[in-house]
């Protein structure tokens, strides 16, 4: 006959299996949805769902899993110095790839800033001319004071590259995005080292 402790343990395990089953179903549903669909941002900034190739996405996923597994095997077989070199080289490749993708997007899309970006660039250009109308009551920066820092930064940039040169801002954003990659990899490395996985 089961005692109370056994019943509690059985219920806890059963609950854990139920939660794991539901989470697995949700994850698989989301995975399938991601494999079959891609959201594209239309010029009016409204996302549009488009069909994607499930087989191609599965092939890419399989490739990533194989590369990750191969990296795990190498991590156990190579010397510490070789692993460190590979990690640094891998980080450099990822950083370069992110920079290339960002710059490609900047020069391929050629999107003229709209919405908030247009107001920020406009305010920065006005400030260069000594016109501070954006700060007046009812002005953009009066309604959204959190944008002042960004306007100040863009104004400094415009002093170097010329007013309304949004392309230069996009290039600098691309460099800054790529610059975050080594930092993220370093944080991940340090956290995993503390947890004993590296």
């Amino acid at each position: 006959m089961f005692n109370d402790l056994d019943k509690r343990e059985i219920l806890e395990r059963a609950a854990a299996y139920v939660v794991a089953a539901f989470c697995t179903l949700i994850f698989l549903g989301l995975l399938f949805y991601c494999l079959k669909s891609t959201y594209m941002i239309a010029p009016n900034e409204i996302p549009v769902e488009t069909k994607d190739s499930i087989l191609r996405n599965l092939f890419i996923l399989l490739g990533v899993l194989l590369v990750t597994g191969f990296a795990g095997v190498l991590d156990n077989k190579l010397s510490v110095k070789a692993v460190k070199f590979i990690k640094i080289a891998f980080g450099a490749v990822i950083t370069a790839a992110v920079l290339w993708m960002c710059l490609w997007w900047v020069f391929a899309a050629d999107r003229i800033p709209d919405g908030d970006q247009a107001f920020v660039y406009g305010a920065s250009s006005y400030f260069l001319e000594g016109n501070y109308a954006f700060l007046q009551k009812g002005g953009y920066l009066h309604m959204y004071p959190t944008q002042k820092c960004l306007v100040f930064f863009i104004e400094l940039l415009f002093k170097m590259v010329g007013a309304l040169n949004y392309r230069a801002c996009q290039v600098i954003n691309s460099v800054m995005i790529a610059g975050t990659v080594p930092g993220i990899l370093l944080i991940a490395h340090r956290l995993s080292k503390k947890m004993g996985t590296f």
Side-chain angles (χ1 to χ4, degrees):
M1 192 166 180
F2 293 119
N3 59 31
D4 288 341
L5 189 61
D6 289 337
K7 288 178 184 176
R8 182 177 173 182
E9 191 176 330
I10 290 168
L11 284 173
E12 283 178 356
R13 285 190 179 184
Y17 283 124
V18 168
V19 170
F22 274 115
C23 289
T24 302
L25 285 173
I26 290 168
F27 175 77
L28 290 174
L30 291 172
L31 178 64
F32 177 73
Y33 188 77
C34 290
L35 290 172
K36 76 175 187 69
S37 302
T38 297
Y39 275 91
M40 307 293 284
I41 303 297
N44 56 4
E45 296 190 12
I46 296 173
V48 177
E49 184 179 354
T50 57
K51 288 186 178 180
D52 210 339
S53 168
I54 294 176
L55 284 176
R56 183 187 64 210
N57 288 334
L58 281 173
F59 182 73
I60 291 168
L61 178 63
L62 180 65
V64 169
L65 291 174
L66 286 173
V67 168
T68 305
F70 182 67
V73 171
L74 279 180
D75 193 32
N76 293 327
K77 296 199 180 239
L78 296 175
S79 67
V80 174
K81 195 174 181 180
V83 169
K84 187 176 180 181
F85 173 78
I86 290 170
K87 285 179 182 176
I88 291 170
F90 182 68
V93 168
I94 290 176
T95 303
V98 168
L99 180 62
W100 178 82
M101 285 187 283
C102 289
L103 290 174
W104 173 82
W105 172 255
V106 164
F107 291 103
D110 194 22
R111 293 277 179 92
I112 296 171
D114 195 6
D116 285 335
Q117 299 90 348
F119 282 110
V120 167
Y121 290 144
S124 303
S125 298
Y126 274 43
F127 283 9
L128 281 176
E129 298 168 0
N131 183 342
Y132 299 99
F134 278 79
L135 292 168
Q136 293 173 357
K137 191 170 183 179
Y140 178 75
L141 293 174
H142 179 260
M143 291 188 292
Y144 306 103
T146 53
Q147 298 283 49
K148 287 178 186 173
C149 246
L150 183 58
V151 168
F152 176 68
F153 175 73
I154 304 280
E155 182 187 0
L156 289 176
L157 180 63
F158 281 172
K159 282 183 180 178
M160 294 183 279
V161 299
L164 291 175
N165 189 349
Y166 67 89
R167 181 61 56 79
C169 294
Q170 291 173 333
V171 168
I172 287 173
N173 276 335
S174 299
V175 171
M176 288 193 294
I177 290 168
T180 64
V181 174
I184 291 168
L185 291 174
L186 185 61
I187 290 168
H189 173 70
R190 289 193 175 172
L191 286 174
S192 59
K193 204 171 178 183
K194 283 182 182 176
M195 291 186 284
T197 54
F198 275 92

